[in-house]
Amino acid sequence: MKRRTLLASAAMGLALAAAPAFAQDKPKIGFVYVGPVNDGGWSQHHHESAMKMKEHFGDQIELIEQESVPEGADAERVLTQMALSGADLIFTTSFGYMDPTINVAAKFPDVKFEHATGYKTADNVSAYSARFYEGRAVTGYLAGAMTKSNKIGYIGSFPIPEVIRGINSSFLHAKKANPDVEMSVVWLSTWFDPAKEADATQALLDQGVDVVLAHTDSTAPLSVLEKAGGYGFGQAADMYDYAPEPRLSSIIDDWAPYYIDRVQAIVDGTWESHNVWQGIGDGMVGIGEITGPVPEDVKATAEQMKADIAAGDYHPFTGPINKQDGSAWLAEGEVAEDGVLAGMDFYVEGLTGEIPN
Amino acid sequence: MDPVLLVASIMVSATPILLAAIGEMVVEKAGVLNLGVEGMMITGAVIGFAAAVGTGSPVLGFAAAALGAAVLSLTFGFLTQYLLSNQVATGLGLTLVGLGLSALVGAGFEGVRAPGPGKLWIPGLAEIPVIGPMFFRHDFMVYVSLLLVAGVWAFLKFTRAGLILRAVGEDHESAHALGYKVVRVRMAAIFFGGACAGLGGAYVSLVRVPQWTEGMTAGAGWIALAIVVFASWRPFGVLIGAYLFGGVTVLQLNLQAAGANVPVELLSMSPYLITILVLVVISARGVHGAPGSLGRSFHASA
Amino acid sequence: MIRLEKRPQPSRLWTIVTPLLAVVLTMVVGGIMFALLGKPPLEAIRTIFWDPLFHPQFAGYSRPQLLVKAGPLILIAIGLSIGFKAGIWNIGAEGQYIMGAVCGAAVGLAFYPSESVLLFPLMVVAGALGGWAWAMIPAVLKTRFGTNEILVSLMLVYVAENILASASAGWLRSPEGMGFPGSRNFKQWPAVFNDELVANTGMHWGVVAAFIAVIGAYALMARHIQGFNIRLTGEAPRAARFSGVSPVRIVFLCLGISGALAGMAGLFEVTGPAGQITIDFNSGYGFTAIIVAFLGRLHPVGILLAGLLMALTYIGGELAQLMLGLPGASIQLFQGMLLFFLLATDVFTNYRIRFAKGELA
């Protein structure tokens, strides 16, 4: 008997397995991470948010996780195995999982997928992403206000729109606080390499920079700043261990509200595919407590900015803004469209250097 | 760009690969190719970190790192020297083991702060303008790494033990015929190489970054292997190589920070191309670059 | 005093017994490790070794996946083993694998969006040539200047990785990728998508090529005069030279074969399972294949089995993570242990253990 089912499933393969024949009553929620769950950054934060979600639902749901899954061929297999194991909803938490997610989702129409930071969707694939540039506006402002050398630095990973948005948003708001500010950008071509991140921080300091914003995952920049002097920010996590100095504040990825919301939709049977981009107002982007020697008035302005963005009264990309070459981008009072932001591949006026490639 | 700061940064950034490379050079001089440097470094990084946190002493941390990684390297030694397994495959296996083991040992140390060694100003010399801040205001491990290079040089050149080690690496059959204990010499070299790699790893987790994160050595061990080749197995070549390899990264980052457009990929591959060039030049001159018995198993047929 | 005595011929019995012994030892020590991590050891072992093959829920999918995962490992390892037999140590297969993928993909993308049936074969040839050319660098340097091929081929891996980085972020980047690094996805381009030839079997062209390579290598080494020359060069280089075997020819032959096979593996992988050129599509197959080659004792059939065993631990490890929540690192350590035990027990195949009085050496 057992052997027969075995052969049958082998013969009919995915078509048969696609039917959630093994699904249990409890919804099974899967998470796939690109790094180890204790990487101190991106994957750890998704994992922690998943744990909060699990705490919220308790025994109502079952949670399965898989860490350190390389993007590409391995991701597709891992996702398929997860779907076969009876998962009802799978969160794929790295940009590189986009195509694998779409491919696997096509084979499992009854399993729902949620892909982070991508742009492709399907009937059973949602895309979700955070408006980190809203948070970058606040930290950029603080950086501009706190620099004494008028030089701030930005450690970028890859020249993708998300990072370029962050650079532009930080710079524009640093300038609001300090019109003389200059920003140096260093590209590392990696999301995670603590030693290289540390070297980059040191290189920026050596060039006279005294406030460093990082768009890579580890706490290495803060460790270096703590030792060598200068200010920085928590990235992805609050990194409150480094408060009050060198950490001034932080941009926190808080996926938990979204995860709870989406899992609830599965429990209720109301899940539908969507493509969302949530910011401070929705709670997906958090700003950590402002610490260190930030003057009261600066702190008040920053907090006001955060409140205005959250309430939708202020958009970090509000004209007049020119592109780097001096051509006009946004007119007075004009607000950037999401479509343009999603594919942002240019610097704003005042930034020096070129975007690689 | 301030050359003083640049040189000082390069010295810090190059120290882990210098430590690992000088150890690997001794191993290769004895005729053993241990590709597991990355695995030994990451093991040293986690053990050093844990020990420094536990004891509150960075010096003890470094000592524990050296010992831990050296003990790990003995598994490689046992397999390759006594069980005559292939060195390339065993070295790759050692990397797997080291990466996995370190992640398990290190769970729980993320986000913990370890005591780092303070700066050690060399009396007198540190006060010299320009030269002082460049070379004489570092932590003690930077000086240890330089002393190790000089020590290895003197050991290989002037001591009888060094001569035996080189003989074993050059031609193990003849060395054996002369009555030298090939396997024991090689085990000692492997142990030393492991200890150095461990120090290098601990330098990453205790000084350069300083924190523990899984996989944090991020390929430094492989660079150390390249440096040994670049150096054509000479201690001072290793010194130059480490500072060149470390220097290219630091220089590249500094150029970017200063606003220059740099072809990052081209610059990052340049040290390896230079290494190949060096290899070609030394072999074209007819000099035997690599130790004669490098990578070959030795079995004493009675 | 324990002493090793070289057997005149590798023991047939021990050739079969040692892998089993190694697997058993790994299970015991690995089980202890899993127990220390607070996981049920027997269940973990069963999940890794048994479930990918026989689990009612997964096996239908994971059995074919074993072939997908093992295919490139076997294809590369076969090429490497031929060189290793001749004493030519190409450890830069990772670089040849990358260059094959990049060259093949570049040729294909140059004709985008052609639907010609000739395009895929052309890409395979370009991939093989890319890998071959990359392997020719150490070959030329070795024969011309006597430069050590281990080191040159290893250095070229880093160069290839940088070329891959610049290709995926720059000149091969998909124009429709919203500025993200990564080439066009070949899975969405039917003319060149290296899909399964028969649904749910895992058999794509790369796996087919791996099987052909196994048979070809067997025929070459066992039946062909060049195979004999290769083995002779490895076992007795001087004797080979006296009998008229050109060492230069052997170097070119061995590095050429291993480079071309690695390059082809890269192309099959990037047009198939991986789907696109990305900065880290390679996932270290070129290095893992070295392990596979040695686990297979450099014998074509052994490599076939070793590749499948390696794939089993990968997929079983994934299932163990999924179902038992084992940390990813413990799987890595488990694989390392398996490798160590396999290498350690191999000594019994080639040597006899003797208990002698006193030290003869």
Side-chain angles (χ1 to χ4, degrees):
Chain A
M1 179 60 209
K2 199 166 180 192
R3 188 166 170 78
R4 277 186 65 98
T5 37
L6 202 146
L7 287 172
S9 69
M12 296 176 67
L14 296 176
L16 179 91
F22 302 93
Q24 298 144 342
D25 306 320
K26 263 193 221 175
K28 204 170 186 180
I29 314 296
F31 281 83
V32 181
Y33 311 111
V34 69
V37 293
N38 46 19
D39 66 354
W42 182 258
S43 291
Q44 180 166 349
H45 240 65
H46 281 283
H47 167 68
E48 280 170 6
S49 299
M51 296 313 279
K52 273 190 214 159
M53 183 276 292
K54 170 72 181 150
E55 212 168 280
H56 177 88
F57 287 100
D59 283 341
Q60 258 185 297
I61 59 139
E62 192 184 337
L63 176 70
I64 46 174
E65 298 178 290
Q66 196 132 354
E67 60 177 336
S68 304
V69 177
E71 299 169 347
D74 293 313
E76 205 159 316
R77 184 177 55 251
V78 165
L79 289 176
T80 307
Q81 282 161 357
M82 227 177 223
L84 284 173
S85 80
D88 299 276
L89 174 65
I90 300 174
F91 291 91
T92 58
T93 64
S94 176
F95 172 77
Y97 296 150
M98 182 165 66
D99 287 349
T101 304
I102 296 286
N103 292 341
V104 175
K107 294 183 204 154
F108 294 90
D110 294 331
V111 180
K112 319 287 189 228
F113 293 84
E114 297 260 355
H115 175 243
T117 69
Y119 51 86
K120 292 185 185 169
T121 55
D123 281 346
N124 57 337
V125 183
S126 284
Y128 64 100
S129 193
R131 295 180 187 272
F132 293 120
Y133 67 87
E134 294 185 350
R136 303 247 165 231
V138 179
T139 53
Y141 180 82
L142 290 170
M146 294 305 289
T147 175
K148 295 192 184 67
S149 64
N150 292 339
K151 277 186 181 172
I152 60 175
Y154 199 104
I155 301 176
S157 48
F158 294 97
I160 57 174
E162 185 197 322
V163 179
I164 295 169
R165 279 196 302 274
I167 292 171
N168 285 332
S169 178
S170 301
F171 179 67
L172 286 170
H173 294 85
K175 252 189 132 61
K176 282 208 164 67
N178 177 354
D180 297 326
V181 80
E182 285 173 38
M183 187 151 102
S184 303
V185 181
V186 176
W187 296 101
L188 297 191
S189 300
T190 175
W191 286 107
F192 177 81
D193 182 344
K196 209 167 172 188
E197 291 167 53
D199 283 352
T201 311
Q202 189 62 49
L204 285 164
L205 294 175
D206 289 352
Q207 295 301 321
V209 163
D210 58 357
V211 186
V212 176
L213 300 127
H215 209 140
T216 46
D217 284 348
S218 82
T219 48
L222 285 173
S223 287
V224 171
L225 291 167
E226 181 173 55
K227 208 171 54 162
Y231 299 119
F233 299 88
Q235 153 71 6
D238 196 18
M239 303 186 182
Y240 199 80
D241 286 348
Y242 292 92
E245 285 182 52
R247 170 202 168 282
L248 295 178
S249 180
S250 56
I251 298 186
I252 304 168
D253 309 352
D254 193 356
W255 310 99
Y258 182 76
Y259 289 161
I260 291 172
D261 188 45
R262 299 304 282 170
V263 172
Q264 188 65 51
I266 290 288
V267 172
D268 299 343
T270 56
W271 190 95
E272 272 180 28
S273 166
H274 66 193
N275 185 350
V276 293
W277 206 7
Q278 298 186 343
I280 294 179
D282 308 287
M284 196 180 271
V285 179
I287 300 290
E289 184 196 333
I290 297 172
T291 55
V294 179
E296 279 308 315
D297 58 322
V298 172
K299 193 173 165 181
T301 315
E303 275 167 358
Q304 187 57 45
M305 187 187 288
K306 175 186 159 189
D308 288 345
I309 293 174
D313 295 335
Y314 174 65
H315 191 293
F317 290 106
T318 305
I321 301 175
N322 290 343
K323 294 189 180 179
Q324 189 181 26
D325 58 12
S327 63
W329 174 36
L330 296 174
E332 176 81 43
E334 192 186 350
V335 168
E337 285 171 32
D338 276 358
V340 177
L341 290 181
M344 191 173 239
D345 59 355
F346 58 87
Y347 279 156
V348 295
E349 193 172 41
L351 276 165
T352 51
E354 279 172 39
I355 299 173
N357 309 305
Chain B
M1 198 166 298
D2 185 341
V4 174
L5 292 175
L6 193 65
V7 170
S9 290
I10 289 174
M11 287 187 75
V12 171
S13 147
T15 296
I17 45 181
L18 174 60
L19 284 164
I22 195 71
E24 176 68 13
M25 195 205 81
V26 171
V27 179
E28 291 189 17
K29 270 284 181 195
V32 179
L33 181 64
N34 183 354
L35 294 185
V37 184
E38 178 80 5
M40 300 185 295
M41 277 186 91
I42 192 80
T43 306
V46 73
I47 293 180
F49 191 86
V53 169
T55 62
S57 154
V59 177
L60 286 179
F62 278 108
L67 189 66
V71 168
L72 181 73
S73 75
L74 287 184
T75 61
F76 169 88
F78 179 71
L79 282 167
T80 56
Q81 301 309 309
Y82 290 99
L83 301 182
L84 308 169
S85 68
N86 177 274
Q87 296 176 6
V88 170
T90 314
L92 292 171
L94 184 62
T95 297
L96 266 182
V97 168
L99 287 171
L101 190 66
S102 65
L104 293 182
V105 173
F109 282 103
E110 284 90 2
V112 175
R113 231 77 65 83
K119 298 278 180 207
L120 189 71
W121 289 33
I122 304 288
L125 298 173
E127 317 301 332
I128 306 170
V130 184
I131 308 279
M134 267 187 192
F135 300 113
F136 301 113
R137 297 183 186 176
H138 291 286
D139 54 86
F140 78 98
M141 277 311 289
V142 171
Y143 308 122
V144 168
S145 70
L146 296 173
L147 289 175
L148 259 177
V149 173
V152 165
W153 171 76
F155 168 79
L156 290 174
K157 195 164 169 72
F158 299 117
T159 68
R160 193 177 141 69
L163 186 73
I164 296 172
L165 184 129
R166 281 187 294 148
V168 164
E170 214 46 68
D171 184 348
H172 50 216
E173 304 289 354
S174 308
H176 174 68
L178 289 172
Y180 299 131
K181 306 276 180 246
V182 173
V183 170
R184 277 182 218 168
V185 170
R186 288 188 170 165
M187 286 301 281
I190 291 166
F191 189 82
F192 177 76
C196 288
L199 288 177
Y203 194 82
V204 178
S205 65
L206 287 176
V207 182
R208 184 145 161 243
V209 174
Q211 55 176 311
W212 163 252
T213 330
E214 196 177 325
M216 69 181 307
T217 46
W222 296 98
I223 298 176
L225 282 164
I227 291 169
V228 178
V229 182
F230 170 88
S232 29
W233 298 270
R234 285 166 304 144
F236 290 106
V238 168
L239 183 66
I240 295 167
Y243 283 10
L244 177 78
F245 277 66
V248 167
T249 313
V250 170
L251 185 68
Q252 179 262 99
L253 294 169
N254 268 277
L255 283 171
Q256 283 201 51
N261 287 314
V262 284
V264 176
E265 282 95 10
L266 198 65
L267 217 53
S268 340
M269 72 170 86
S270 60
Y272 302 106
L273 290 173
I274 297 172
T275 302
I276 294 174
L277 201 69
V278 168
L279 264 178
V280 171
V281 168
I282 54 174
S283 44
R285 277 211 247 110
V287 187
H288 281 297
S293 296
L294 183 60
R296 283 169 41 207
S297 289
F298 171 74
H299 176 242
S301 39
Chain C
M1 181 67 201
I2 298 170
R3 209 162 57 77
L4 297 176
E5 187 183 284
K6 197 164 173 65
R7 297 177 192 272
Q9 290 289 319
S11 155
R12 293 226 159 203
L13 173 70
W14 281 103
T15 309
I16 296 162
V17 171
T18 53
L20 297 175
L21 181 65
V23 169
V24 170
L25 282 170
T26 313
M27 285 179 176
V28 172
V29 181
I32 295 171
M33 173 184 77
F34 293 136
L36 287 175
L37 289 168
K39 305 286 177 188
L42 290 177
E43 213 178 325
I45 304 276
R46 198 204 61 212
T47 309
I48 294 173
F49 287 103
W50 183 262
D51 285 357
L53 295 170
F54 303 111
H55 191 284
Q57 209 168 335
F58 298 106
Y61 172 75
S62 52
R63 256 176 295 177
Q65 283 295 310
L66 284 175
L67 291 180
V68 174
K69 187 85 191 175
L73 294 175
I74 295 169
L75 190 54
I76 303 170
I78 287 286
L80 291 177
S81 68
I82 294 173
F84 291 170
K85 282 264 184 201
I88 293 158
W89 302 101
N90 172 13
I91 61 169
E94 181 81 357
Q96 293 139 24
Y97 173 79
I98 291 172
M99 291 310 287
V102 169
C103 288
V107 166
L109 289 168
F111 291 99
Y112 183 84
S114 158
E115 291 293 326
S116 165
V117 290
L118 294 176
L119 189 54
F120 186 66
L122 180 69
M123 287 167 73
V124 175
V125 172
L129 278 177
W132 176 82
W134 209 242
M136 279 302 105
I137 301 173
V140 169
L141 295 181
K142 183 178 178 70
T143 51
R144 180 84 184 73
F145 304 107
T147 316
N148 184 322
E149 79 282 5
I150 301 184
L151 305 164
V152 175
S153 61
L154 181 63
M155 294 303 113
L156 285 171
V157 174
Y158 308 115
V159 178
E161 280 174 349
N162 278 293
I163 291 175
L164 174 66
S166 92
S168 78
W171 45 280
L172 285 184
R173 192 172 66 178
S174 168
E176 284 147 31
M178 309 279 284
F180 284 89
S183 74
R184 281 182 196 280
N185 200 313
F186 293 103
K187 290 192 179 182
Q188 279 131 32
W189 184 7
V192 302
F193 176 30
N194 173 25
D195 199 2
E196 287 181 324
L197 298 168
V198 181
N200 301 322
T201 57
M203 289 292 280
H204 62 71
W205 282 113
V207 180
V208 174
F211 281 119
I212 295 173
V214 169
I215 297 164
Y218 186 84
L220 173 73
M221 297 312 282
R223 299 263 177 270
H224 198 274
I225 178 70
Q226 285 297 0
F228 176 76
N229 290 344
I230 286 169
R231 276 184 291 138
L232 190 61
T233 308
E235 281 157 24
R238 296 184 62 188
R241 213 164 310 156
F242 286 132
S243 62
V245 180
S246 153
V248 171
R249 197 125 142 259
I250 295 290
V251 169
F252 275 102
L253 183 72
C254 290
L255 277 165
I257 291 175
S258 55
L261 290 185
M264 264 165 69
L267 184 276
F268 288 131
E269 192 66 11
V270 87
T271 51
Q276 62 182 146
I277 293 275
T278 53
I279 192 157
D280 48 7
F281 90 91
N282 45 319
S283 42
Y285 277 4
F287 287 116
T288 313
I290 298 177
I291 297 175
V292 169
F294 281 104
L295 294 189
R297 317 300 195 218
L298 306 184
H299 187 281
V301 178
I303 288 170
L304 179 71
L305 296 174
L308 289 170
L309 177 67
M310 212 58 200
L312 185 67
T313 62
Y314 275 111
I315 293 175
E318 284 165 7
L319 291 180
Q321 261 204 68
L322 181 65
M323 298 201 283
L324 304 173
L326 280 173
S330 67
I331 304 297
Q332 209 171 14
L333 186 55
F334 188 78
Q335 283 180 325
M337 286 195 294
L338 176 63
L339 176 60
F340 269 12
F341 283 125
L342 276 162
L343 290 166
T345 52
D346 192 29
V347 72
F348 299 116
T349 311
N350 293 312
Y351 295 90
R352 213 172 264 139
I353 309 284
R354 284 285 153 118
F355 298 92
K357 284 178 206 147
E359 201 170 338
L360 290 175

